[in-house]
Amino acid sequence: MNTLVRSAVRCLRAGTVCRTGSINGQVLYGSARLLCAAAGQTDFADMVKKDKVVVFMKGTPSQPMCGFSNAVVQILRMHGVDEYAAYNVLEDQDLRQGVKAFSNWPTIPQVFFNGEFVGGCDILLQMHQNGDLVEELKKLGIRSALLDAEKDKN
Amino acid sequence: MEITVDHIRNKLTTEIGAVHVEVEDTSPNRCAASFKVLVVSPQFEGKPLLQRHRMVNTCLAEELKEIHAFEQKTLTPEQWEKQRAP
């Protein structure tokens, strides 16, 4: 019983998923909280596969708490990627340390596409600059909004 | 262990054969809390960005435990030349 309560409490803290790009910009809280509570422990492999684009960040997309996390949010926004799962690591130390161990990457933010680790802020920025991001998004079935923006200019 | 600009530069030079390193302490009071590095190494040749960054992270694994924020740019000598050309 005790364990159950503890894991439930822990997961209430851990379950800080917010889905962006939902109705009228309203932040919806996803189902990860329930899944996590059932599992009792954070299953990162599962978490990163559940959504095409997953971001572990400091703060939330509407209120990033760190410049690097903000940069990731802004880059995704530029490409019209509004629907992604964002996990706020500031709300849970286990989540913060756990994701670093899972991806073997020392810093936050961290971006995953289709369950695969893409990189942090520097890598996403460079992929944005060299055009790779448009291609990677295409592989996910997401058409970058920048392509349309270019068309409008022509 | 004290983390200094020189310490980071030396480590990257010795351990991943960097031929050019720029290190900047980006913390507000130059208190070694955050760094920005540019690493040029022939060992990056043919390696994707993620792998290059992992090489740097591994090289500085001990230091990164203390560093709060870390920005990096990883180039091959050829890319570095191109970037410097006007």
Side-chain angles (χ1 to χ4, degrees):
Chain A
M1 180 64 203
N2 231 346
T3 340
L4 231 163
V5 170
R6 237 178 307 153
S7 77
V9 167
R10 189 180 160 279
C11 288
L12 280 176
R13 281 190 291 122
T16 53
V17 182
C18 53
R19 263 148 230 283
T20 62
S22 38
I23 313 136
N24 298 330
Q26 209 181 9
V27 176
L28 293 181
Y29 293 92
S31 54
R33 177 174 294 175
L34 298 172
L35 286 171
C36 169
Q41 225 180 10
T42 316
D43 184 349
F44 286 101
D46 205 51
M47 260 166 118
V48 299
K49 276 189 212 126
K50 229 165 26 196
D51 298 87
K52 279 186 192 173
V53 179
V54 176
V55 179
F56 291 84
M57 61 180 289
K58 292 182 180 174
T60 61
S62 56
Q63 199 164 18
M65 300 298 283
C66 148
F68 301 109
S69 289
N70 184 42
V72 164
V73 169
Q74 298 308 329
I75 291 168
L76 291 174
R77 183 171 298 159
M78 256 189 276
H79 288 263
V81 183
D82 294 322
E83 285 183 39
Y84 57 92
Y87 295 89
N88 181 1
V89 303
L90 292 182
E91 292 195 0
D92 189 306
Q93 270 306 313
D94 294 341
L95 192 69
R96 186 173 180 173
Q97 296 313 323
V99 73
K100 290 180 185 179
F102 172 71
S103 56
N104 186 26
W105 192 259
T107 49
I108 305 287
Q110 300 192 5
V111 181
F112 292 79
F113 287 169
N114 262 353
E116 218 170 290
F117 181 60
V118 174
C121 172
D122 289 325
I123 289 185
L124 199 71
L125 183 62
Q126 281 178 62
M127 284 170 67
H128 164 67
Q129 287 164 343
N130 66 19
D132 284 353
L133 187 53
V134 171
E135 294 306 310
E136 290 303 316
L137 288 174
K138 198 193 282 173
K139 285 185 204 161
L140 302 178
I142 299 171
R143 184 180 160 77
S144 167
L146 284 186
L147 291 172
D148 298 324
E150 265 166 42
K151 235 196 303 177
D152 289 344
K153 250 190 285 171
N154 296 338
Chain B
M1 175 188 56
E2 202 194 343
I3 303 167
T4 61
V5 166
D6 284 337
H7 171 83
I8 291 178
R9 183 185 295 114
N10 290 342
K11 208 161 180 193
L12 290 168
T13 308
T14 344
E15 291 187 19
I16 54 177
V19 291
H20 178 80
V21 183
E22 287 173 24
V23 191
E24 189 193 337
D25 184 342
T26 52
S27 46
N29 305 315
R30 301 275 176 276
C31 57
S34 56
F35 288 95
K36 186 178 189 170
V37 300
L38 165 71
V39 191
V40 182
S41 168
Q43 291 185 24
F44 292 148
E45 215 86 57
K47 294 198 174 82
L49 206 49
L50 183 61
Q51 208 178 331
R52 295 179 187 188
H53 282 222
R54 280 201 192 280
M55 285 167 70
V56 173
N57 289 343
T58 305
C59 172
L60 298 173
E62 279 305 308
E63 290 77 4
L64 284 173
K65 285 179 195 160
E66 313 291 326
I67 297 172
H68 173 72
F70 188 69
E71 293 169 74
Q72 55 171 307
K73 207 162 188 187
T74 48
L75 301 175
T76 61
E78 197 187 336
Q79 287 174 320
W80 170 232
E81 280 303 319
K82 248 188 231 164
Q83 195 169 306
R84 273 198 301 179

